[in-house]
Amino acid sequence: MTHDPTLSAGKVWLIGAGPGDPDLLTVKAARLIGCADALVYDHLVGEGVMDLARPDARRIYVGKEASNHTLPQEAINRLLVDLAREGLAVVRLKGGDPFIFGRGGEELEILAASGIAFEVVPGVTAAAGCAAYSGFPLTHRDHAQAVTFVTGHLKDGTVNLDWPALSRPCQTIVFYMGIGAAGEICRQMIAHGLPADTPAAVVRNGTLPDQRTLLATLATLPGRIVEADIRPPALIIVGSVVELHEQLNWFERP
Ligand SMILES: C[S@@+](CC[C@H](N)C(=O)[O-])C[C@H]1O[C@@H](n2cnc3c(N)ncnc32)[C@H](O)[C@@H]1O
């Protein structure tokens, strides 16, 4: 039984768990996580977040690293439907925001088609978390009048993006899931007109105690990623705002 009268049974809450630091959860997310009968969660959901769950709640890990799905997406969809039909209050927890490269929409489409009630609670997406904790604003009147979030990981393994649009000046481009394609990303942006010395950075494990930010340029970033052995989860950020890290960094201490 649910421990909160506002939490009705037989329903799913799709919740963004933020980029890692559990203090970045919304108040609503923390309350719902603490009341749920069952929690279905991905690998980027931080341990501190799961600590908020009731001790007797059912916890179901469904994984989902780039190419290592503990449960295929169809099985996750079915699981959510089955748990709700058992009459449970189900929390579906995803890293960051569920509607930003999180396949949250696909899961909700199945719930809607199955007649299961649901709600969505947004979360702090990795770009916002990494920018805040690395000390660079994503927009700034002197640097960037627009920001774009792009996936660097496409279904067929290619990076077939609108390179002319992504390579325009005066904007910040944030690549999610782009570490494996860093060489191609930087090559394409230079080929489409950005100077090779355009500032670029990578942030790994943003908002967590072991967060690491590397500053480079489009020309040097792929080599720096290899040298420093940067692995996912990490973001690539392209644009002059990243240079503000040196002045505005408050979180990472040497
Ligand atoms: C499947 S996407 C999920 C994005 C998530 N829904 C969000 O809004 O942040 C996973 C990618 O997000 C990025 N990411 C997630 N958490 C991160 C973190 N703490 N630090 C850096 N990048 C992160 C990485 O690029 C990772 O490969």
Side-chain angles (χ1 to χ4, degrees), residues 79-155:
L79 175 68
L80 294 174
V81 171
D82 290 348
L83 290 169
R85 287 199 173 137
E86 264 186 61
L88 302 176
V90 182
V91 158
R92 171 67 173 117
L93 264 179
K94 286 179 169 282
D97 181 272
F99 280 176
I100 298 184
F101 305 125
R103 301 182 77 169
E106 295 172 40
E107 295 181 11
L108 291 190
E109 283 171 307
I110 302 293
L111 294 176
S114 308
I116 307 282
F118 58 81
E119 286 185 30
V120 185
V121 180
V124 173
T125 192
C130 290
Y133 280 51
S134 274
F136 52 79
L138 291 173
T139 65
H140 185 296
R141 285 192 297 173
D142 297 334
H143 295 269
Q145 282 70 52
V147 57
T148 303
F149 298 164
V150 199
T151 175
H153 173 83
L154 296 191
K155 267 187 180 166

Side-chain angles (χ1 to χ4, degrees), residues 1-3 33-37 39 52-59:
M1 287 298 292
T2 58
H3 289 194
I33 292 166
C35 300
D37 299 316
L39 297 101
L52 299 173
R54 271 170 31 207
D56 63 327
R58 233 191 275 176
R59 293 150 200 257

Side-chain angles (χ1 to χ4, degrees), residues 19 44 95-97 100-102 125-126 130 175-177 203-206 232-235:
L44 283 177
D97 181 272
I100 298 184
F101 305 125
T125 192
C130 290
F175 290 92
Y176 288 66
M177 299 166 281
V203 182
R204 177 167 198 268
N205 274 347
L235 294 179

Side-chain angles (χ1 to χ4, degrees), residues 15 24 36 40 45 58 68 85 87 95 102 114 117 169 171 175 181 183 189 209 221 225 229 241:
I15 296 180
L24 293 177
V40 178
V45 172
R58 233 191 275 176
N68 178 19
R85 287 199 173 137
S114 308
Q171 56 174 346
F175 290 92
M189 295 186 97
L221 189 72
I225 288 174
D229 194 24
V241 291

